[in-house]
Amino acid sequence: MTAPAPFGPLQFQLVLLRRMADHQPDLVEDARRGLGASLAEMREANRRWQAMVRAPRGRGALRRYRSALGKPESSVRRVVGDLECDALLWRLPLWPDLRFEVMAGPGGAVWNEWLVRAPGAPAPGLRTVRDLRPWSCTVDEVARAFAPVRPMEGSAPTRWALALTDPADRLPYVAEFTWGLLQRVLPGRV
C-alpha cells in the first residue's frame, strides 16, 4: 500500500472547492477539472483535512495552514481594536487575484481564515446587486460597496452572510459567502 501524497496547495484548494460545491457545483466542477483532480481526489482531500482539523493531538490551525501551504507570500501586523494580530497571505493558483488570508493572534490562535483580494489586484466595480456574480468578490468588498450591511451567521463554520440593500431598487438581499468568496445572492430581509 502506498503512502498518500503530501497534503499541499492542490489538496487545500480541493478542500475549499468541496465546501463551495453546495452552492456552485458547476463552477466547482470546472475548477476541479482545471486543477486536473478527480472527484475522488477532492473527496479524499476533504477527508484528510477534516481528520487533521479534528485530530485530538493534531497541529494547531496556524501550523496546519503552514504545513499545507508552505511559507506565506506575506505577513502583515494588524491592529484590530485593542488587539494585535498577524495577517498571513498565501497565493492559490486557482484564484490568482485573491489570497488565502489567515488572521492569527498571540500564540498562533487563528481568528479568521478566508479569501481576500490580492494586494494591488483590481477589485470589481460593485454598484448594484446585479454586479454580484458568484466568485467575483469577497466579503470585505461587498461590505464596503453596500455599506451599511448587517453580518449574519452562516450555515457552516466556513460560511458568512451579509444582509444588504440594493441602492438601485432599495430591496433587501442576503449575500452568501464560502471561505470569504461570494457564492450567491438571495432576496432577504435587512
Side-chain angles (χ1 to χ4, degrees), residues 99-164:
R99 295 296 179 266
F100 189 76
E101 177 185 74
V102 172
M103 299 287 285
V110 171
W111 294 344
N112 194 32
E113 59 247 285
W114 60 7
L115 291 161
V116 298
R117 187 70 47 196
L126 303 175
R127 290 173 285 290
T128 71
V129 168
R130 287 183 177 206
D131 297 326
L132 299 177
R133 292 179 317 282
W135 292 20
S136 70
C137 50
T138 65
V139 171
D140 183 55
E141 291 165 339
V142 173
R144 278 186 276 123
F146 293 90
V149 298
R150 183 172 49 88
M152 301 171 65
E153 193 169 323
S155 59
T158 59
R159 293 189 177 151
W160 295 265
L162 294 176
L164 57 94

Side-chain angles (χ1 to χ4, degrees), residues 6-189:
F7 195 97
L10 170 64
Q11 290 76 19
F12 184 71
Q13 290 173 103
L14 293 173
V15 168
L16 299 183
L17 289 173
R18 174 59 198 97
R19 181 59 79 182
M20 292 179 190
D22 296 338
H23 296 304
Q24 293 298 330
D26 293 339
L27 289 175
V28 167
E29 183 68 13
D30 291 345
R32 182 183 56 74
R33 283 191 186 128
L35 290 172
S38 69
L39 188 56
E41 288 170 313
M42 185 167 78
R43 286 185 188 126
E44 177 61 12
N46 191 62
R47 185 198 65 74
R48 289 177 63 194
W49 181 258
Q50 294 305 319
M52 287 187 278
V53 167
R54 291 182 173 88
R57 291 192 193 110
R59 299 176 179 139
L62 184 55
R63 287 185 60 207
R64 193 170 43 250
Y65 286 116
R66 287 181 185 271
S67 174
L69 299 172
K71 183 179 177 187
E73 178 180 83
S74 65
S75 178
V76 179
R77 192 74 145 157
R78 289 197 190 145
V79 176
V80 180
D82 293 340
L83 301 172
E84 284 190 34
C85 63
D86 292 312
L88 295 94
L89 298 172
W90 284 272
R91 178 185 305 268
L92 296 176
L94 190 54
W95 294 285
D97 289 343
L98 302 176
R99 295 296 179 266
F100 189 76
E101 177 185 74
V102 172
M103 299 287 285
V110 171
W111 294 344
N112 194 32
E113 59 247 285
W114 60 7
L115 291 161
V116 298
R117 187 70 47 196
L126 303 175
R127 290 173 285 290
T128 71
V129 168
R130 287 183 177 206
D131 297 326
L132 299 177
R133 292 179 317 282
W135 292 20
S136 70
C137 50
T138 65
V139 171
D140 183 55
E141 291 165 339
V142 173
R144 278 186 276 123
F146 293 90
V149 298
R150 183 172 49 88
M152 301 171 65
E153 193 169 323
S155 59
T158 59
R159 293 189 177 151
W160 295 265
L162 294 176
L164 57 94
T165 301
D166 186 347
D169 61 18
R170 306 302 303 158
L171 294 174
Y173 294 90
V174 174
E176 295 183 337
F177 303 83
T178 301
W179 291 106
L181 192 59
L182 180 69
Q183 299 300 308
R184 65 184 182 177
V185 178
L186 304 167
R189 290 181 284 175

